[in-house]
Amino acid sequence: MTSRRLLTPAELKPLLRLAPLELDGTRRRLASAYTVGDLRAIARRRTPRSVFDYVDGSAESEVSIRRARRVLRDLTFHPSVLHDVSSVDTSTTMLGTRMDLPYVLSPTGFTRMMHHSGEVAVARSAQRAGVPYTLSTMGTTGIEDLAAAAPDGHNWFGFYVWKDRASSEEILSRVAASGYEALVLTVDVPVGGARLRDNRNGFSIPPRLSLKTIADGAMHPNWWIDFLTTEPLRFASFDSWNDTIEALANHMFDPSVQLEDLAWVRQFWKGPLVVKGIQTVEDARRVADAGADGLVLSNHGGRQLDRAPVPLTLVPQTVAAVGDRCEVFVDTGFSSGADIVAALALGAKGVFLGRAYLYALMAGGEAGVDRLHEILAGQIARTLRLLGVRAVDELTPEHVTLP
């Protein structure tokens, strides 16, 4: 029979380790986030439904994004044991520059809508983390302002070709003059995708005050206070807009862009050129032949053509076809450091992340993006160790199998 007695205060004392009280609400929230999923859950609680759904949603039935996440979920790692992994190197070289972590923060539009600190907060955080940040043509911070805010960062620029070619030329000239390291030309938006969540939410730029948004605002007062008491939300590179995202894409973007237009871009941009939105190996060959320095296998996060190919599945064939002359990046569905490691093992030079850092921004502003880098850096290092690999550059296709 087990004898029982109450522990004495002296015996209890070493067991009672109360966490220090954190008075800063943002730090307290972020301390409870251990994954991108945790940051997403916080973001969902803290932002209006229409804003969260703009980030979280995809096109039409959202099949593409579900497929991408399923592939990442179902892949298999193949670890090797009995290797010295007491220290690991998470850095890699992208477009000739050494980066501390093997991912890029993608161009995303309207970033100040997610949090009033917007692109500046993301760029400053990326600068500290040693990863590239890509400012979008559809951004809410100016080209020169962003460069000044993160002068030591790896600043890239996400470029769409507009119907107004003169304005496009002006933007390219400003990007070059501001010292951006690379240009990311997005080519998979001849027209806007059908974002049904946005349509059902009545989402527009800028957000419209209606009975529905006012009711939602009552549930998210901090977001609305910031929205109404900071600089008005407007696009930095063109006049204001007051309609849906799909209508904006159809109004601004040039659907006549062809492969030959890469030569036109090169007239105004002499630095590294990355073409984003490649979804077949043949298109990868075409842009590599046209002189692209890099390409992103991407279906725009599932936000354009639904039921498009899962970009990760195209990595091995694409690397085999053009990897000796064009760096291959990939995006869509990535939400952990292990996901990123898998893409690198298959041959990708790096992974473009969009939703992940927007969730982090919504969850806690600049501190939220810092927390994302901490989470991903830890996951990447841990996955390398568990695979028996000491550096990102030692990963090979033998370390992972796609489903």
Side-chain angles (χ1 to χ4, degrees), residues 304-326:
Q304 283 297 104
L305 176 67
D306 204 13
R307 294 174 292 181
V310 174
L312 182 63
T313 64
L314 300 173
V315 170
Q317 308 99 291
T318 305
V319 171
V322 305
D324 59 337
R325 55 202 172 103
C326 184

Side-chain angles (χ1 to χ4, degrees), residues 158-172:
F159 181 64
Y160 290 95
V161 177
W162 291 351
K163 293 176 182 177
D164 182 350
R165 290 297 179 98
S167 295
S168 293
E169 293 172 10
E170 179 190 0
I171 286 174
L172 289 173

